[in-house]
Amino acid sequence: MTEQALVRTIALSKVFAAGEHRLVAVDRVDFTLARGEFVSIMGPSGSGKSTFMHIIGCLDRPTSGTYLFDGVDVSTIDADARAALRRAKLGFVFQAYNLLPRTSAIENAELPMIYAGLSSRERRDRAVRALLDAGLEERHHLQPPSELSGGQQQRVAIARALVNQPELILADEPTGALDTKTSGEIMTLFQGLNRARGLSVLMVTHEASVARYSQRIVSFLDGRIVNDVPTERYVAGSAVE
Amino acid sequence: MNLALALRLALGAIVRNKERSLLTVLGIVIGVAAVIVTVSIGAGARASIDQQIANLGSNVVIVIPGSSATQGAHLGLGGAATLTLGDGLAIAHLPHVAAATPLVTLRTQVVSQYGNWQTQIQGAAPTWPFVRNWELSAGTFFSDTDVATSAKVCVIGATVASELFPNADPIGTTIAIRNVPFRVIGVLTTRGHNVFGMDQDDLIVVPYSALMQRLQSSNVRADAVNTLIFSVDDPTNMTGVTADVDALLRARHRIAPSALPDFSIRNTQDVASVATSTALTLQILLASVATVSLVVGGIGIMNIMLVSVTERTREIGLRMAVGAPGRAILMQFLVESATLATVGGAIGVVLGVVGSLVASAIGKFAYQPDLPSIIGALVFSSAVGIFFGYSPARRAATLDPIVALRTE
Ligand SMILES: Nc1ncnc2c1ncn2[C@@H]1O[C@H](COP(=O)(O)OP(=O)(O)O)[C@@H](O)[C@H]1O
Ligand SMILES: [Mg+2]
């Protein structure tokens, strides 16, 4: 079991066609993420990181190539099956938090469970636990996003990603909108979840200081992986040359 | 996602956008209110027509001069003075005719010591209260002797009484009709307005002989009457008596059975059907207003739901990202537009009931909230919401999650 990768892509490509123009956003990427791994993706803007994350997150389909999630080929499954997979096995964290406005922290955290068909009592219990696990104190649970700091909002978003007990957390620049200190706290949280629970994390970031919290750093350039090293061997800026 | 939860989410979304929601459902509100008012006015008019038929007596037949080739309006109706007192007497002697009275009418100014008033004077026989099924609130009606002597006595309607005698008892006083003094010997009970809005109490009844000899100008044919009214002893004899009267009058007027008569016979059912069709016209008018506003309301909902889907594109993308299947998004927006429309319908019901109460006060008819029409209005408005909400909801459900998430 342990040797089977959680995520495995083989010659994965995504091509955007805008009229005559063809844009290869992800170019024949072979990538593997083992269960329990914490991997960072770095690279300049427009290098295809988000597009790759969307395919891994089953929000989008590859143009060609194969994507195996937990050994199952999910590159060709239909929209409903992808929704079911996202619901059961994936959790998303975005740079812009993407919380529902005028909706309390606890109700935001409950959102994925609505679609999983859990009872309201179970939803409430799990949301409270996830919010506490994500480091949001109880007194903030009934507040809407507008009354929370950026760091607190991202904690709500992380709680929301955790409630369905996913196998993989996908975080696209989760600290992009946060100051250095808060970024460190959020990364410590991810690191803790990864170490304590064996939760797999795939994260995109621009900052080497943030990527340091992961175990492995993958560098993208023009849709291709140009560097893939354990964090301790990563040399900042090396991939861009 | 189950329905109860979808409903809670929808209500939450509606409450969060109170003002906009209210504006959105304005068309539905007006449409439903119009439906409720229409139904109650219809019911009120019907009840009031029934009441007037009862007032008139269910077995009353009216004969008027002029022919009507078809039932209903004929412009020549009541034109020539072809009916006479003799016709009335002959009818009164037919079997199954309980009582008959001629009617000779004119409009004129009437003066009392307190004021003056323009009203209708009806010359009739002493059988008038019986035939019209109309009682007196004070005094007595005139007698056969009064008719024989063309006595200058009169019985006045409640409106005339209150206009000419604001604070006094009219009985025994004298009023001037076309400068001829008449003694008031009775006051009629109040009938109120009829379906056409006419005040039934605005009249004075005098012996027909007195009207013909003392009030009418001399160039009118001496024995001509405007109308003959009689009542039949039992409703089952109505058809038979009507045929007898037709034959009798044709014989008296020397009109062949195949020719067009110079009179028309109407029973209260005919009168009621005219009144009913008038009420129906009014109802159809209101119903079309209601339909148009419901459709406009539905389009308003569709419009605002499209705006809502556009505004909440990111939210939709997020819901999809956390695993909402397309059908859950579809349901969410369908339930939202249905709820919106139903809330609008409920407001419309409240306004409609209030409007009906106001209309019933003005139109002087009884009104009771009608539960089936209220439930029907609510069901219909949620159907409007679902129908017009479908296309926006489908648009939301088929959004590409990435495009939705990328939207600013
Ligand atoms: N839906 C799309 N249609 C067309 N081009 C796209 C679309 N999404 C992304 N791209 C293009 O693909 C390339 C990679 O984008 P992206 O994955 O967002 O890069 P990154 O996240 O590394 O900044 C960019 O050139 C971008 O403009
Ligand atoms: Mg990106």
Side-chain angles (χ1 to χ4, degrees):
Chain A
M1 270 311 283
T2 37
E3 65 269 21
Q4 185 179 305
L6 183 60
V7 168
R8 184 172 165 79
T9 73
I10 304 151
L12 195 77
S13 293
K14 180 70 183 182
V15 181
F16 292 112
E20 296 274 291
H21 196 68
R22 268 168 44 98
L23 193 140
V24 186
V26 175
D27 192 6
R28 289 160 290 166
V29 167
D30 298 316
F31 172 81
T32 303
L33 184 141
R35 199 178 287 278
E37 228 183 338
F38 184 174
V39 177
S40 290
I41 297 180
M42 295 192 72
S45 190
S47 57
K49 309 181 295 291
S50 293
T51 305
F52 181 68
M53 288 285 273
H54 289 151
I55 297 172
I56 300 306
C58 286
L59 286 167
D60 204 357
R61 306 160 82 159
T63 311
S64 64
T66 307
Y67 169 25
L68 302 175
F69 184 89
D70 211 2
V72 180
D73 188 352
V74 293
S75 36
T76 53
I77 59 175
D78 70 9
D80 275 354
R82 274 181 278 142
L85 190 74
R86 293 196 295 269
R87 194 156 66 227
K89 307 206 166 163
L90 301 170
F92 292 88
V93 178
F94 306 92
Q95 175 176 3
Y97 325 129
N98 281 7
L99 299 176
L100 298 186
R102 285 162 296 183
T103 305
S104 70
I106 200 157
E107 280 174 307
N108 263 295
E110 278 184 37
L111 192 65
M113 295 183 283
I114 284 174
Y115 301 104
L118 293 174
S119 73
S120 66
R121 207 201 146 81
E122 172 109 39
R123 286 203 306 268
R124 188 62 32 143
D125 289 350
R126 279 210 208 175
V128 171
R129 230 178 308 137
L131 284 170
L132 293 174
D133 288 350
L136 190 77
E137 296 153 65
E138 193 127 24
R139 64 194 161 94
H140 296 304
H141 287 192
L142 293 177
Q143 286 176 306
S146 58
E147 293 174 19
L148 298 174
S149 71
Q152 288 168 330
Q153 289 187 59
Q154 197 58 298
R155 288 180 194 278
V156 176
I158 293 168
R160 182 181 64 196
L162 292 175
V163 287
N164 275 348
Q165 292 150 357
E167 309 217 9
L168 175 64
I169 295 279
L170 294 160
D172 197 346
E173 301 187 36
T175 60
L178 301 175
D179 59 50
T180 318
K181 179 168 170 287
T182 317
S183 295
E185 289 168 13
I186 294 293
M187 289 326 296
T188 310
L189 174 60
F190 274 120
Q191 202 169 46
L193 290 167
N194 170 254
R195 285 185 182 154
R197 303 191 184 179
L199 193 63
S200 313
V201 180
L202 183 60
M203 171 182 77
V204 170
T205 183
H206 275 305
E207 297 154 81
S209 61
V210 168
R212 294 258 170 245
Y213 288 86
S214 65
Q215 299 157 352
R216 202 175 112 206
I217 298 177
V218 176
S219 301
F220 266 64
L221 185 64
D222 294 337
R224 315 189 64 159
I225 291 180
V226 291
N227 192 20
D228 184 347
V229 291
T231 305
E232 57 273 17
R233 293 205 349 240
Y234 179 77
V235 182
S238 62
V240 187
E241 277 116 40
Chain B
M1 185 159 73
N2 62 28
L3 204 63
L5 187 63
L7 208 69
R8 236 186 53 206
L9 288 178
L11 281 171
I14 289 166
V15 171
R16 272 200 295 277
N17 300 298
K18 270 189 236 56
E19 289 86 4
R20 194 173 78 182
S21 304
L22 208 66
L23 285 176
T24 306
V25 299
L26 207 57
I28 301 273
V29 170
I30 292 169
V32 167
V35 168
I36 304 272
V37 174
T38 306
V39 169
S40 52
I41 286 183
R46 186 158 304 281
S48 147
I49 290 165
D50 290 347
Q51 179 58 44
Q52 277 166 50
I53 290 167
N55 282 350
L56 214 58
S58 59
N59 38 7
V60 168
V61 182
I62 298 167
V63 186
I64 50 177
S67 71
S68 63
T70 54
Q71 278 215 342
H74 185 290
L75 288 174
L77 216 65
T82 55
L83 295 172
T84 62
L85 289 171
D87 291 337
L89 276 176
I91 289 171
H93 288 109
L94 283 175
H96 303 301
V97 171
T101 175
L103 273 191
V104 205
T105 58
L106 55 86
R107 277 197 80 80
T108 189
Q109 188 83 5
V110 183
V111 182
S112 79
Q113 60 189 109
Y114 303 104
N116 55 50
W117 185 244
Q118 177 89 18
T119 188
Q120 189 191 44
I121 317 295
Q122 293 193 358
T127 48
W128 188 91
F130 177 82
V131 175
R132 292 295 319 268
N133 191 24
W134 201 331
E135 278 155 20
L136 274 68
S137 62
T140 54
F141 206 74
F142 51 81
S143 65
D144 285 326
T145 317
D146 293 326
V147 171
T149 59
S150 306
K152 292 179 279 184
V153 293
C154 66
V155 172
I156 62 177
T159 300
V160 175
S162 64
E163 291 294 337
L164 291 185
F165 302 95
N167 294 306
D169 179 12
I171 305 288
T173 60
T174 300
I175 58 174
I177 306 175
R178 277 198 179 160
N179 297 322
V180 181
F182 274 74
R183 193 160 48 85
V184 179
I185 58 168
V187 178
L188 293 164
T189 52
T190 306
R191 278 273 161 102
H193 293 250
N194 69 10
V195 205
F196 307 106
M198 268 155 50
D199 181 2
Q200 302 177 92
D201 300 312
D202 190 7
L203 85 169
I204 295 177
V205 193
V206 301
Y208 64 83
S209 52
L211 186 141
M212 290 167 129
Q213 289 161 29
R214 303 181 192 278
L215 298 176
Q216 233 165 22
S217 56
S218 49
N219 55 13
V220 177
R221 210 178 114 186
D223 61 345
V225 300
N226 298 94
T227 313
L228 294 170
I229 307 181
F230 61 92
S231 59
V232 179
D233 58 2
D234 191 279
T236 55
N237 293 323
M238 185 75 93
T239 320
V241 172
T242 304
D244 290 349
V245 169
D246 184 66
L248 175 82
L249 290 180
R250 277 173 190 276
R252 289 180 59 88
H253 295 190
R254 297 181 218 292
I255 295 164
S258 56
L260 215 58
D262 59 357
F263 56 87
S264 354
I265 306 174
R266 298 285 187 79
N267 58 37
T268 36
Q269 255 60 50
D270 299 334
V271 177
S273 77
V274 173
T276 307
S277 78
T278 307
L280 198 69
T281 310
L282 183 68
Q283 260 184 294
I284 288 171
L285 197 75
L286 276 169
S288 355
V289 171
T291 310
V292 169
S293 23
L294 280 176
V295 169
V296 170
I299 292 169
I301 285 188
M302 178 153 85
N303 196 29
I304 213 73
M305 289 308 292
L306 283 173
V307 170
S308 176
V309 167
T310 309
E311 275 182 2
R312 285 153 71 187
T313 301
R314 261 175 94 86
E315 172 192 329
I316 295 162
L318 174 77
R319 288 179 185 273
M320 286 175 162
V322 301
R327 60 178 180 282
I329 302 291
L330 184 83
M331 181 158 104
Q332 181 191 341
F333 281 90
L334 268 189
V335 168
E336 194 169 315
S337 64
T339 309
L340 201 59
T342 312
V343 167
I347 298 172
V349 163
V350 172
L351 286 186
V353 169
V354 171
S356 301
L357 288 172
V358 171
S360 73
I362 293 170
K364 298 192 171 60
F365 61 83
Y367 169 66
Q368 245 189 335
D370 174 46
L371 202 61
S373 69
I374 286 172
I375 292 170
L378 289 178
V379 169
F380 189 75
S381 27
S382 58
V384 165
I386 290 171
F387 182 81
F388 286 97
Y390 185 77
S391 130
R394 231 196 107 62
R395 176 178 290 197
T398 51
L399 273 176
D400 182 343
I402 302 169
V403 175
L405 277 173
R406 275 173 177 266
T407 308
E408 286 315 314

